[in-house]
Amino acid sequence: GDSVTQMEGPVTLSEEAFLTINCTYTATGYPSLFWYVQYPGEGLQLLLKATKADDKGSNKGFEATYRKETTSFHLEKGSVQVSDSAVYFCALRGELTGGGNKLTFGTGTQLKVEL
Amino acid sequence: DTGVSQDPRHKITKRGQNVTFRCDPISEHNRLYWYRQTLGQGPEFLTYFQNEAQLEKSRLLSDRFSAERPKGSFSTLEIQRTEQGDSAMYLCASSLALPAQETQYFGPGTRLLVL
């Protein structure tokens, strides 16, 4: 079945550092890929998405590129801020076949940004 | 704010009691999903509806769990004879059924603690 593997956290960075959170997936066909973010005490928010190979999703300075050849969707940001401290979830939705539309999530990566 | 809402936000119950949670999706969304998230894990799919029809159920959804969406708007998730293992965050999400472009928007969740 479909699965998502994320790097384990917590990831601790200084403000303005470069961020990479690795995400790889296993799925048949061409899934859609997502990054969701969960700030402390809040619900999951969509951060960015990509629906086909080589697409780049971007939002709020974060980027991720859908790499079919490496089955990856790594999250990057050039300069993190304290306000980026949160848990980040990589997720996929399997290729639509008229039935399943559920999201399959990774275990999440906690990011802590310090001054 | 017209996002997904869930009620209650927190529920503490004793083992063996029944509990019911409510989800109100974004008003024009015809799909509604339930997920469960335990500490340190990503959300896991439970079930989903398109309008009032329940189209998919996970094997995680034992016969003690039942979900309804009687008029294709709000949904309820009931857990009968709760067990300590049911303690988790129950998340609701909604979306529009758009081929290849569907995005799920999550509510704040209901945190259940079974004593």
Side-chain angles (χ1 to χ4, degrees), chain A residues 59-101:
Chain A
N59 186 26
K60 299 181 181 179
F62 290 90
E63 294 182 338
T65 301
Y66 185 159
R67 301 287 188 200
K68 179 69 174 173
E69 63 276 15
T70 54
T71 62
S72 65
F73 193 54
H74 304 320
L75 183 68
E76 296 182 337
K77 186 175 185 183
S79 176
V80 294
Q81 306 299 312
V82 172
S83 57
D84 294 326
S85 298
V87 181
Y88 292 82
F89 292 93
C90 185
L92 72 81
R93 185 184 65 237
E95 189 172 16
L96 298 178
T97 56
N101 298 291

Side-chain angles (χ1 to χ4, degrees), chain A residues 13-90:
Chain A
L13 295 174
S14 299
E15 202 170 41
E16 299 183 1
F18 185 86
L19 169 71
T20 300
I21 300 178
N22 290 338
C23 171
T24 57
Y25 68 88
T26 301
T28 55
Y30 295 86
S32 296
L33 301 173
F34 303 83
W35 277 100
Y36 281 83
V37 58
Q38 190 169 37
Y39 297 101
E42 299 185 16
L44 283 168
Q45 299 176 24
L46 178 68
L47 182 59
L48 53 83
K49 68 178 182 181
T51 57
K52 59 183 188 293
D54 299 325
D55 268 3
K56 178 186 284 188
S58 61
N59 186 26
K60 299 181 181 179
F62 290 90
E63 294 182 338
T65 301
Y66 185 159
R67 301 287 188 200
K68 179 69 174 173
E69 63 276 15
T70 54
T71 62
S72 65
F73 193 54
H74 304 320
L75 183 68
E76 296 182 337
K77 186 175 185 183
S79 176
V80 294
Q81 306 299 312
V82 172
S83 57
D84 294 326
S85 298
V87 181
Y88 292 82
F89 292 93
C90 185

